Structure formats: structure tokens, C-alpha cells
Amino acid sequence: MAVAAMTTMTLPLQFEQPLPKKPLPAGRPREWYVSHNRRLKAMRLAIALLDTGVYHPAHADNHTIRATAERIGIHPPSDITCRMVRALIRYGR
């Protein structure tokens, strides 16, 4: 029986210049801003996981997602955000 060797993957996420930030529209309820930022974080994490070769939601457990967040320099995601990341990976295939 052949055993696959585990390799450590590095993230190729070194940007020359960060994208300019635009202010969010004023006057929305607080829940809108929270869900908007949660969606952005989930999208960043899903892209980083896809870049590292995680193409199936079953391979993206909470520990893997949180380790990826640490590697790319963002705060650890909540359980809800981890679920959103898996959903993005599932429907992005």
C-alpha cells in the first residue's frame, strides 16, 4: 500500500501594494456591516485555501481554516465564518 508523503505548502500571497480601501456606505444597520465583513473574510480564506490545494470542503475543517487565517495574517474566524468558507469552496467548484 502506497503512503502519500505530507508536504508543507506555503502561501504565495505576497502582494506588491495593498488594494485601496473605500469607506463602507453610512446609515446601514450594524448587522449589515458585520455580515459584510464576515463575507469578505470568508472569501479571503476560501481563496487562500484554494491556493494551497484544499479543493473539497471535507478537507477544510475549522483547524485548517484557522491555521490558514493565521498564515495570511487575519484574526481567527468564528465557527459561522468557517461554515461560510466551506460553503464557498463547495459551490465554487
Side-chain angles (χ1 to χ4, degrees):
M1 176 184 293
V3 177
M6 293 292 289
T7 60
T8 1
M9 295 184 183
T10 59
L11 295 176
L13 299 176
Q14 303 297 325
F15 297 109
E16 299 277 331
Q17 294 177 333
L19 295 174
K21 292 186 177 183
K22 294 188 286 187
L24 293 174
R28 306 264 172 124
R30 185 180 187 333
E31 293 81 26
W32 184 88
Y33 298 104
V34 170
S35 66
H36 174 76
N37 289 330
R38 189 184 306 271
R39 287 190 305 266
L40 289 177
K41 182 185 241 183
M43 199 177 323
R44 274 188 238 115
L45 286 167
I47 290 168
L49 284 166
L50 290 169
D51 285 346
T52 59
V54 177
Y55 299 114
H56 198 276
H59 298 140
D61 59 352
N62 289 355
H63 176 71
T64 304
I65 294 171
R66 289 185 176 121
T68 303
E70 185 179 334
R71 272 189 232 128
I72 64 175
I74 59 177
H75 289 283
S78 65
D79 291 341
I80 296 170
T81 306
C82 290
R83 267 194 307 255
M84 290 177 80
V85 170
R86 283 188 287 277
L88 286 170
I89 292 172
R90 181 179 304 115
Y91 294 113
R93 299 188 301 148

Coordinates of all heavy atoms in Angstrom, one line a residue:
M1 N 0.8 -1.2 0.0 CA 0.0 0.0 0.0 C 0.9 1.2 0.0 O 1.8 1.4 0.8 CB -0.9 0.0 1.2 CG -1.7 1.2 1.4 SD -2.7 1.3 2.9 CE -3.8 0.0 2.6
A2 N 0.6 2.1 -0.9 CA 1.4 3.4 -1.0 C 0.9 4.4 0.0 O -0.3 4.5 0.2 CB 1.3 3.9 -2.4
V3 N 1.9 5.1 0.5 CA 1.5 6.1 1.5 C 2.0 7.5 0.9 O 3.1 7.6 0.5 CB 2.2 5.9 2.9 CG1 2.0 7.0 3.8 CG2 1.8 4.6 3.4
A4 N 1.1 8.4 0.9 CA 1.4 9.7 0.3 C 2.3 10.5 1.4 O 2.0 10.5 2.5 CB 0.2 10.5 0.0
A5 N 3.3 11.2 0.9 CA 4.1 12.0 1.8 C 3.5 13.3 2.0 O 2.9 13.9 1.1 CB 5.5 12.2 1.1
M6 N 3.5 13.7 3.3 CA 2.9 15.0 3.6 C 3.9 16.1 3.4 O 5.1 16.0 3.7 CB 2.6 15.1 5.1 CG 1.4 14.1 5.5 SD -0.1 14.7 4.8 CE -0.4 16.1 5.8
T7 N 3.5 17.1 2.7 CA 4.4 18.3 2.4 C 3.8 19.5 3.0 O 2.6 19.6 3.1 CB 4.6 18.4 0.9 OG1 3.4 18.7 0.3 CG2 5.3 17.2 0.3
T8 N 4.7 20.4 3.4 CA 4.1 21.7 3.8 C 4.1 22.7 2.7 O 5.0 22.8 1.9 CB 5.1 22.3 4.9 OG1 6.2 21.5 5.1 CG2 4.4 22.5 6.2
M9 N 2.9 23.3 2.6 CA 2.7 24.2 1.5 C 2.8 25.7 2.0 O 2.4 25.9 3.1 CB 1.3 24.1 0.9 CG 1.2 22.8 0.2 SD -0.5 22.7 -0.6 CE -0.4 21.1 -1.2
T10 N 3.4 26.5 1.3 CA 3.5 27.9 1.6 C 2.5 28.7 0.8 O 2.2 28.3 -0.3 CB 4.9 28.5 1.4 OG1 5.2 28.3 0.1 CG2 5.9 27.8 2.3
L11 N 2.0 29.8 1.4 CA 1.0 30.6 0.7 C 1.7 31.6 -0.2 O 2.6 32.4 0.3 CB 0.1 31.3 1.7 CG -0.8 30.4 2.5 CD1 -1.5 31.2 3.5 CD2 -1.7 29.6 1.6
P12 N 1.4 31.6 -1.5 CA 2.0 32.6 -2.4 C 1.2 34.0 -2.3 O 0.8 34.4 -3.3 CB 2.0 32.0 -3.7 CG 0.7 31.1 -3.7 CD 0.6 30.7 -2.2
L13 N 1.0 34.5 -1.2 CA 0.1 35.7 -1.0 C 0.9 36.9 -0.6 O 0.6 37.6 0.3 CB -1.0 35.4 0.0 CG -1.9 34.3 -0.3 CD1 -2.9 34.0 0.8 CD2 -2.7 34.5 -1.6
Q14 N 2.0 37.2 -1.4 CA 2.8 38.4 -1.1 C 2.4 39.4 -2.2 O 2.7 39.3 -3.3 CB 4.3 38.1 -1.2 CG 4.7 37.0 -0.3 CD 4.5 37.4 1.2 OE1 4.7 38.5 1.5 NE2 4.2 36.4 2.0
F15 N 1.7 40.4 -1.8 CA 1.2 41.5 -2.7 C 2.2 42.6 -2.7 O 2.8 43.0 -1.7 CB -0.2 42.0 -2.3 CG -1.2 40.9 -2.3 CD1 -1.8 40.4 -1.2 CD2 -1.7 40.4 -3.5 CE1 -2.7 39.4 -1.2 CE2 -2.6 39.4 -3.6 CZ -3.2 39.0 -2.4
E16 N 2.4 43.2 -3.9 CA 3.2 44.4 -4.0 C 2.7 45.5 -3.2 O 3.3 46.1 -2.4 CB 3.4 44.7 -5.5 CG 4.0 43.6 -6.4 CD 5.5 43.6 -6.3 OE1 6.0 44.7 -6.1 OE2 6.0 42.6 -6.5
Q17 N 1.4 45.9 -3.6 CA 0.7 47.0 -2.9 C -0.6 46.6 -2.5 O -1.3 45.9 -3.3 CB 0.6 48.2 -3.8 CG 2.0 48.8 -4.2 CD 1.7 50.0 -5.2 OE1 0.8 50.0 -5.9 NE2 2.7 50.9 -5.2
P18 N -1.1 46.9 -1.3 CA -2.5 46.6 -0.9 C -3.5 47.4 -1.8 O -3.2 48.5 -2.2 CB -2.5 46.9 0.5 CG -1.5 47.9 0.8 CD -0.4 47.6 -0.2
L19 N -4.6 46.8 -2.0 CA -5.7 47.5 -2.7 C -6.2 48.7 -1.9 O -6.2 48.6 -0.7 CB -6.8 46.5 -3.0 CG -6.5 45.4 -3.9 CD1 -7.7 44.4 -4.0 CD2 -6.2 45.9 -5.3
P20 N -6.5 49.8 -2.5 CA -7.0 50.9 -1.8 C -8.4 50.6 -1.1 O -9.2 50.0 -1.7 CB -7.1 52.0 -2.8 CG -7.2 51.3 -4.1 CD -6.5 50.0 -4.0
K21 N -8.5 51.0 0.1 CA -9.8 50.7 0.8 C -10.7 51.9 0.6 O -10.4 53.1 0.6 CB -9.5 50.6 2.3 CG -8.7 49.3 2.6 CD -8.6 49.1 4.1 CE -7.9 47.9 4.4 NZ -7.8 47.6 5.8
K22 N -12.0 51.5 0.4 CA -13.0 52.5 0.3 C -13.9 52.5 1.5 O -14.2 51.4 2.0 CB -13.9 52.3 -1.0 CG -13.1 52.4 -2.3 CD -14.0 52.3 -3.5 CE -14.5 50.9 -3.7 NZ -15.2 50.8 -5.0
P23 N -14.4 53.6 2.0 CA -15.3 53.5 3.1 C -16.6 52.8 2.8 O -17.1 52.9 1.7 CB -15.5 55.0 3.5 CG -15.2 55.8 2.2 CD -14.2 54.9 1.5
L24 N -17.2 52.1 3.8 CA -18.5 51.5 3.6 C -19.6 52.5 3.6 O -19.4 53.6 4.3 CB -18.7 50.5 4.7 CG -17.8 49.3 4.7 CD1 -18.0 48.4 5.9 CD2 -18.0 48.4 3.4
P25 N -20.7 52.3 3.0 CA -21.8 53.2 3.0 C -22.3 53.5 4.4 O -22.5 52.5 5.2 CB -22.8 52.6 2.1 CG -22.5 51.2 2.0 CD -21.0 51.1 2.3
A26 N -22.6 54.7 4.7 CA -23.1 55.0 6.0 C -24.6 54.8 6.1 O -25.3 54.8 5.1 CB -22.8 56.5 6.3
G27 N -25.1 54.7 7.3 CA -26.6 54.6 7.5 C -27.2 53.2 7.5 O -28.4 53.1 7.6
R28 N -26.4 52.2 7.4 CA -26.9 50.8 7.4 C -27.0 50.3 8.8 O -26.2 50.8 9.7 CB -26.0 49.9 6.5 CG -25.7 50.3 5.1 CD -26.7 49.7 4.2 NE -26.5 50.2 2.9 CZ -26.3 49.5 1.8 NH1 -26.1 48.2 1.9 NH2 -26.2 50.1 0.6
P29 N -27.8 49.3 9.1 CA -27.8 48.7 10.4 C -26.5 48.0 10.7 O -25.8 47.5 9.8 CB -28.9 47.7 10.4 CG -29.6 47.9 9.1 CD -28.8 48.7 8.2
R30 N -26.1 47.9 12.0 CA -24.9 47.3 12.4 C -24.8 45.8 11.9 O -23.7 45.4 11.5 CB -24.8 47.3 13.9 CG -23.4 46.8 14.4 CD -23.4 46.8 15.9 NE -22.2 46.5 16.6 CZ -21.1 45.8 16.3 NH1 -21.1 45.2 15.1 NH2 -20.1 45.6 17.0
E31 N -25.8 45.1 11.8 CA -25.8 43.7 11.4 C -25.4 43.6 9.9 O -24.7 42.6 9.5 CB -27.2 43.1 11.5 CG -27.7 42.9 12.9 CD -28.3 44.2 13.5 OE1 -28.7 45.0 12.7 OE2 -28.2 44.3 14.7
W32 N -25.7 44.6 9.1 CA -25.2 44.6 7.7 C -23.7 44.7 7.6 O -23.1 44.0 6.9 CB -25.8 45.8 7.0 CG -25.5 45.8 5.5 CD1 -26.2 45.2 4.5 CD2 -24.4 46.4 4.9 NE1 -25.5 45.4 3.3 CE2 -24.4 46.1 3.5 CE3 -23.3 47.2 5.3 CZ2 -23.5 46.6 2.6 CZ3 -22.3 47.6 4.5 CH2 -22.4 47.3 3.1
Y33 N -23.1 45.6 8.4 CA -21.6 45.7 8.4 C -21.0 44.4 8.9 O -20.0 44.0 8.4 CB -21.2 46.9 9.3 CG -21.7 48.2 8.8 CD1 -22.8 48.8 9.4 CD2 -21.2 48.8 7.6 CE1 -23.2 50.1 8.9 CE2 -21.6 50.0 7.2 CZ -22.7 50.6 7.8 OH -23.2 51.8 7.3
V34 N -21.5 43.8 9.9 CA -21.0 42.6 10.5 C -21.0 41.5 9.4 O -20.0 40.8 9.2 CB -21.8 42.1 11.8 CG1 -21.4 40.7 12.2 CG2 -21.5 43.1 12.9
S35 N -22.2 41.3 8.8 CA -22.3 40.2 7.8 C -21.4 40.5 6.5 O -20.9 39.6 5.9 CB -23.8 40.0 7.4 OG -24.3 41.1 6.7
H36 N -21.3 41.8 6.2 CA -20.5 42.2 5.0 C -19.0 41.8 5.3 O -18.4 41.2 4.5 CB -20.6 43.7 4.8 CG -19.7 44.2 3.7 ND1 -19.9 44.0 2.4 CD2 -18.5 44.9 3.8 CE1 -19.0 44.6 1.7 NE2 -18.1 45.1 2.5
N37 N -18.5 42.2 6.5 CA -17.1 41.9 6.8 C -16.9 40.4 7.0 O -15.9 39.9 6.6 CB -16.7 42.6 8.1 CG -16.6 44.1 7.9 OD1 -16.3 44.5 6.8 ND2 -16.9 44.9 8.9
R38 N -17.9 39.7 7.5 CA -17.8 38.2 7.6 C -17.7 37.6 6.2 O -16.9 36.7 6.0 CB -19.0 37.7 8.4 CG -18.9 36.2 8.7 CD -20.1 35.7 9.4 NE -20.6 36.4 10.5 CZ -20.2 36.2 11.8 NH1 -19.3 35.2 12.0 NH2 -20.6 36.9 12.8
R39 N -18.5 38.1 5.3 CA -18.4 37.5 3.9 C -17.1 37.8 3.3 O -16.5 36.9 2.6 CB -19.6 38.1 3.0 CG -20.9 37.5 3.4 CD -22.0 37.9 2.3 NE -22.1 39.4 2.2 CZ -22.9 40.2 2.8 NH1 -23.8 39.7 3.6 NH2 -22.9 41.5 2.5
L40 N -16.5 39.0 3.5 CA -15.2 39.3 2.9 C -14.1 38.4 3.5 O -13.3 37.9 2.8 CB -14.9 40.8 3.2 CG -15.6 41.8 2.4 CD1 -15.2 43.2 2.8 CD2 -15.4 41.7 0.9
K41 N -14.2 38.2 4.8 CA -13.2 37.3 5.5 C -13.3 35.9 4.9 O -12.3 35.3 4.7 CB -13.4 37.4 7.0 CG -12.4 36.5 7.7 CD -12.7 36.5 9.2 CE -11.6 37.1 10.0 NZ -11.9 37.1 11.4
A42 N -14.6 35.4 4.8 CA -14.8 34.0 4.3 C -14.2 33.9 2.9 O -13.6 32.9 2.5 CB -16.2 33.7 4.4
M43 N -14.4 34.9 2.1 CA -13.9 34.9 0.7 C -12.4 34.9 0.7 O -11.8 34.1 -0.1 CB -14.5 36.1 -0.1 CG -14.4 35.9 -1.6 SD -15.1 37.3 -2.5 CE -16.5 37.8 -1.6
R44 N -11.8 35.7 1.5 CA -10.3 35.7 1.5 C -9.8 34.4 2.0 O -8.8 33.9 1.4 CB -9.8 36.8 2.5 CG -9.7 38.1 1.9 CD -9.0 39.1 2.9 NE -9.9 40.2 3.1 CZ -10.5 40.5 4.2 NH1 -10.2 39.9 5.3 NH2 -11.3 41.5 4.3
L45 N -10.4 33.8 3.0 CA -9.9 32.5 3.5 C -10.2 31.4 2.4 O -9.3 30.5 2.2 CB -10.6 32.1 4.8 CG -10.2 32.9 6.0 CD1 -11.1 32.7 7.1 CD2 -8.8 32.4 6.3
A46 N -11.3 31.4 1.7 CA -11.6 30.4 0.7 C -10.6 30.5 -0.4 O -10.1 29.5 -0.9 CB -13.0 30.6 0.2
I47 N -10.2 31.7 -0.8 CA -9.2 31.8 -1.9 C -7.9 31.3 -1.4 O -7.2 30.6 -2.2 CB -9.2 33.3 -2.3 CG1 -10.4 33.7 -3.0 CG2 -7.9 33.6 -3.2 CD1 -10.6 35.2 -3.3
A48 N -7.5 31.6 -0.2 CA -6.2 31.2 0.3 C -6.2 29.7 0.4 O -5.2 29.0 0.1 CB -5.9 31.8 1.7
L49 N -7.3 29.0 0.8 CA -7.3 27.6 0.9 C -7.2 26.9 -0.5 O -6.5 25.9 -0.7 CB -8.6 27.1 1.6 CG -8.6 27.3 3.1 CD1 -10.0 27.2 3.7 CD2 -7.6 26.3 3.8
L50 N -7.9 27.5 -1.4 CA -7.9 27.0 -2.8 C -6.5 27.1 -3.4 O -6.0 26.3 -4.1 CB -8.9 27.7 -3.7 CG -10.4 27.4 -3.4 CD1 -11.3 28.4 -4.2 CD2 -10.7 26.0 -3.8
D51 N -5.8 28.2 -3.0 CA -4.4 28.4 -3.5 C -3.5 27.4 -2.9 O -2.4 27.0 -3.5 CB -3.9 29.8 -3.1 CG -4.5 30.9 -4.0 OD1 -5.0 30.6 -5.1 OD2 -4.3 32.1 -3.7
T52 N -3.8 26.9 -1.7 CA -2.9 25.9 -1.1 C -3.3 24.4 -1.4 O -2.7 23.5 -1.0 CB -2.9 26.0 0.5 OG1 -4.3 25.8 0.9 CG2 -2.4 27.3 0.9
G53 N -4.4 24.3 -2.3 CA -4.7 22.9 -2.7 C -5.9 22.3 -2.0 O -6.1 21.1 -2.1
V54 N -6.6 23.0 -1.2 CA -7.8 22.5 -0.5 C -8.9 22.7 -1.4 O -9.5 23.9 -1.4 CB -8.0 23.1 0.9 CG1 -9.2 22.6 1.6 CG2 -6.8 22.9 1.8
Y55 N -9.4 21.7 -2.1 CA -10.4 21.9 -3.1 C -11.8 21.2 -2.7 O -12.7 21.3 -3.4 CB -10.0 21.3 -4.5 CG -8.8 21.9 -5.0 CD1 -7.6 21.2 -5.2 CD2 -8.8 23.2 -5.4 CE1 -6.5 21.8 -5.7 CE2 -7.7 23.8 -6.0 CZ -6.5 23.1 -6.1 OH -5.4 23.7 -6.6
H56 N -11.8 20.6 -1.5 CA -13.0 19.9 -1.1 C -13.3 20.4 0.3 O -12.5 20.4 1.2 CB -12.8 18.4 -1.1 CG -14.1 17.6 -1.1 ND1 -14.7 17.3 0.0 CD2 -14.8 17.1 -2.1 CE1 -15.8 16.7 -0.2 NE2 -15.9 16.5 -1.5
P57 N -14.6 20.7 0.6 CA -15.0 21.2 1.9 C -14.7 20.2 3.1 O -14.4 20.7 4.2 CB -16.5 21.4 1.8 CG -16.9 21.3 0.4 CD -15.7 20.7 -0.3
A58 N -14.6 18.9 2.8 CA -14.3 18.0 3.8 C -12.9 18.1 4.3 O -12.6 17.7 5.4 CB -14.6 16.6 3.3
H59 N -12.0 18.6 3.5 CA -10.6 18.8 3.9 C -10.4 20.2 4.6 O -9.3 20.4 5.0 CB -9.7 18.8 2.6 CG -9.8 17.4 1.9 ND1 -9.8 17.3 0.6 CD2 -9.8 16.2 2.4 CE1 -9.8 16.1 0.3 NE2 -9.9 15.3 1.4
A60 N -11.4 21.0 4.7 CA -11.3 22.3 5.3 C -12.0 22.3 6.6 O -13.1 22.8 6.8 CB -11.9 23.4 4.4
D61 N -11.4 21.6 7.6 CA -12.0 21.7 8.9 C -11.7 23.0 9.6 O -10.9 23.8 9.1 CB -11.6 20.5 9.8 CG -10.0 20.4 10.0 OD1 -9.3 21.2 9.3 OD2 -9.6 19.6 10.7
N62 N -12.3 23.2 10.8 CA -12.1 24.5 11.5 C -10.6 24.8 11.8 O -10.1 25.9 11.7 CB -12.9 24.6 12.8 CG -14.3 24.7 12.5 OD1 -14.8 24.9 11.3 ND2 -15.1 24.7 13.5
H63 N -9.9 23.7 12.2 CA -8.4 23.9 12.5 C -7.6 24.4 11.2 O -6.8 25.2 11.3 CB -7.9 22.6 13.0 CG -6.4 22.7 13.3 ND1 -5.9 23.4 14.4 CD2 -5.4 22.1 12.7 CE1 -4.6 23.3 14.3 NE2 -4.2 22.5 13.3
T64 N -7.9 23.8 10.1 CA -7.2 24.1 8.9 C -7.5 25.6 8.5 O -6.6 26.3 8.1 CB -7.6 23.2 7.7 OG1 -7.4 21.8 8.1 CG2 -6.9 23.5 6.4
I65 N -8.8 25.9 8.6 CA -9.2 27.3 8.2 C -8.6 28.3 9.2 O -8.0 29.3 8.7 CB -10.7 27.4 8.2 CG1 -11.3 26.5 7.1 CG2 -11.2 28.9 8.0 CD1 -12.8 26.4 7.2
R66 N -8.5 28.0 10.4 CA -7.9 29.0 11.4 C -6.4 29.0 11.2 O -5.8 30.1 11.4 CB -8.3 28.6 12.8 CG -9.8 28.8 13.1 CD -10.2 28.6 14.5 NE -11.6 29.0 14.6 CZ -12.6 28.1 15.0 NH1 -12.3 26.9 15.3 NH2 -13.8 28.6 15.1
A67 N -5.8 27.9 10.9 CA -4.3 27.9 10.6 C -4.0 28.8 9.4 O -3.0 29.5 9.4 CB -3.8 26.5 10.5
T68 N -4.9 28.7 8.4 CA -4.7 29.5 7.2 C -4.9 31.0 7.5 O -4.2 31.8 7.0 CB -5.7 29.0 6.1 OG1 -5.5 27.6 5.8 CG2 -5.5 29.8 4.8
A69 N -5.9 31.3 8.3 CA -6.1 32.7 8.7 C -4.8 33.2 9.4 O -4.4 34.4 9.2 CB -7.3 32.8 9.7
E70 N -4.2 32.4 10.3 CA -3.0 32.9 11.0 C -1.9 33.1 10.0 O -1.1 34.1 10.1 CB -2.6 31.8 12.0 CG -1.4 32.2 12.8 CD -1.1 31.2 13.9 OE1 -1.9 30.4 14.3 OE2 0.1 31.1 14.3
R71 N -1.8 32.2 9.0 CA -0.7 32.3 8.0 C -0.8 33.6 7.1 O 0.1 34.2 6.8 CB -0.7 31.1 7.1 CG 0.2 30.0 7.6 CD 0.3 28.9 6.6 NE 0.0 27.7 7.2 CZ -0.9 26.8 6.8 NH1 -1.5 27.0 5.6 NH2 -1.2 25.7 7.4
I72 N -2.1 34.0 6.8 CA -2.3 35.1 5.9 C -2.4 36.4 6.7 O -2.6 37.5 6.2 CB -3.4 34.9 4.9 CG1 -4.8 34.8 5.6 CG2 -3.1 33.8 4.0 CD1 -5.9 34.8 4.6
G73 N -2.4 36.3 8.1 CA -2.4 37.5 8.9 C -3.7 38.1 9.2 O -3.8 39.3 9.4
I74 N -4.8 37.3 9.4 CA -6.1 37.8 9.8 C -6.5 37.1 11.1 O -6.0 36.1 11.4 CB -7.2 37.7 8.7 CG1 -7.4 36.3 8.3 CG2 -6.8 38.5 7.5 CD1 -8.5 36.1 7.2
H75 N -7.4 37.8 11.8 CA -7.9 37.2 13.0 C -8.6 35.8 12.8 O -9.2 35.6 11.8 CB -8.9 38.1 13.7 CG -8.3 39.4 14.2 ND1 -7.6 39.4 15.4 CD2 -8.3 40.6 13.7 CE1 -7.1 40.6 15.6 NE2 -7.5 41.4 14.6
P76 N -8.5 34.9 13.8 CA -9.1 33.6 13.6 C -10.6 33.8 13.4 O -11.3 34.5 14.1 CB -8.8 32.9 15.0 CG -7.7 33.7 15.6 CD -7.8 35.1 15.1
P77 N -11.2 33.0 12.5 CA -12.6 33.1 12.2 C -13.5 32.4 13.2 O -13.0 31.5 13.8 CB -12.7 32.5 10.8 CG -11.6 31.6 10.7 CD -10.5 32.2 11.5
S78 N -14.7 32.8 13.3 CA -15.7 32.1 14.1 C -16.1 30.8 13.5 O -15.8 30.6 12.3 CB -16.9 33.0 14.4 OG -17.6 33.3 13.2
D79 N -16.9 30.1 14.2 CA -17.5 28.8 13.6 C -18.4 29.2 12.4 O -18.4 28.4 11.4 CB -18.3 28.0 14.6 CG -17.3 27.4 15.7 OD1 -16.1 27.3 15.4 OD2 -17.8 27.1 16.8
I80 N -19.1 30.3 12.5 CA -20.0 30.7 11.4 C -19.2 31.0 10.2 O -19.6 30.6 9.1 CB -20.9 31.9 11.9 CG1 -21.8 31.5 13.0 CG2 -21.7 32.4 10.7 CD1 -22.5 32.6 13.7
T81 N -18.1 31.7 10.3 CA -17.3 32.1 9.2 C -16.7 30.8 8.6 O -16.6 30.7 7.4 CB -16.2 33.1 9.6 OG1 -16.9 34.2 10.2 CG2 -15.4 33.6 8.4
C82 N -16.3 29.9 9.4 CA -15.7 28.6 8.9 C -16.7 27.9 8.1 O -16.4 27.3 7.0 CB -15.2 27.7 10.1 SG -13.8 28.3 10.9
R83 N -18.0 27.9 8.5 CA -19.1 27.3 7.7 C -19.2 28.0 6.4 O -19.4 27.3 5.3 CB -20.4 27.3 8.5 CG -20.6 26.0 9.3 CD -22.1 26.0 9.7 NE -22.5 27.2 10.4 CZ -22.6 27.3 11.7 NH1 -22.4 26.3 12.5 NH2 -23.0 28.5 12.3
M84 N -19.1 29.3 6.4 CA -19.2 30.1 5.1 C -18.1 29.7 4.2 O -18.3 29.7 3.0 CB -19.2 31.6 5.4 CG -20.5 32.0 6.1 SD -20.4 33.8 6.5 CE -20.8 34.5 4.9
V85 N -16.9 29.6 4.7 CA -15.7 29.2 3.9 C -16.0 27.9 3.2 O -15.7 27.7 2.0 CB -14.4 29.2 4.8 CG1 -13.3 28.6 4.0 CG2 -14.1 30.5 5.3
R86 N -16.4 26.9 4.0 CA -16.7 25.6 3.4 C -17.8 25.7 2.3 O -17.7 25.0 1.3 CB -17.1 24.6 4.4 CG -15.9 24.1 5.2 CD -16.3 22.9 6.2 NE -17.1 23.4 7.3 CZ -16.5 23.9 8.4 NH1 -15.2 24.0 8.5 NH2 -17.3 24.3 9.4
A87 N -18.8 26.5 2.5 CA -19.9 26.7 1.5 C -19.3 27.3 0.3 O -19.7 26.9 -0.9 CB -21.0 27.6 2.1
L88 N -18.4 28.3 0.4 CA -17.8 28.9 -0.8 C -17.0 27.9 -1.5 O -17.0 27.9 -2.8 CB -17.0 30.1 -0.3 CG -17.7 31.4 0.1 CD1 -16.8 32.4 0.7 CD2 -18.4 32.0 -1.1
I89 N -16.2 27.1 -0.8 CA -15.4 26.0 -1.5 C -16.3 25.1 -2.2 O -16.1 24.6 -3.4 CB -14.5 25.3 -0.5 CG1 -13.4 26.3 0.0 CG2 -13.8 24.1 -1.2 CD1 -12.6 25.8 1.1
R90 N -17.4 24.7 -1.6 CA -18.4 23.7 -2.1 C -19.0 24.2 -3.4 O -19.0 23.5 -4.4 CB -19.5 23.4 -1.1 CG -20.5 22.4 -1.6 CD -21.6 22.1 -0.5 NE -20.9 21.6 0.7 CZ -21.0 22.3 1.9 NH1 -21.6 23.5 1.9 NH2 -20.4 21.9 2.9
Y91 N -19.5 25.5 -3.4 CA -20.2 26.0 -4.6 C -19.2 26.7 -5.6 O -19.7 27.0 -6.7 CB -21.2 27.0 -4.1 CG -22.3 26.3 -3.3 CD1 -22.5 26.5 -2.0 CD2 -23.1 25.3 -4.0 CE1 -23.5 25.9 -1.3 CE2 -24.1 24.6 -3.3 CZ -24.3 24.9 -1.9 OH -25.2 24.3 -1.2
G92 N -18.0 26.8 -5.2 CA -17.0 27.4 -6.2 C -16.4 26.4 -7.1 O -15.6 26.7 -8.0
R93 N -16.7 25.1 -6.9 CA -16.1 24.0 -7.7 C -16.7 24.0 -9.1 O -17.7 24.2 -9.4 CB -16.1 22.7 -7.1 CG -15.4 22.7 -5.8 CD -15.2 21.3 -5.2 NE -16.5 20.7 -4.9 CZ -16.7 19.4 -5.0 NH1 -15.7 18.6 -5.3 NH2 -17.9 18.8 -4.7

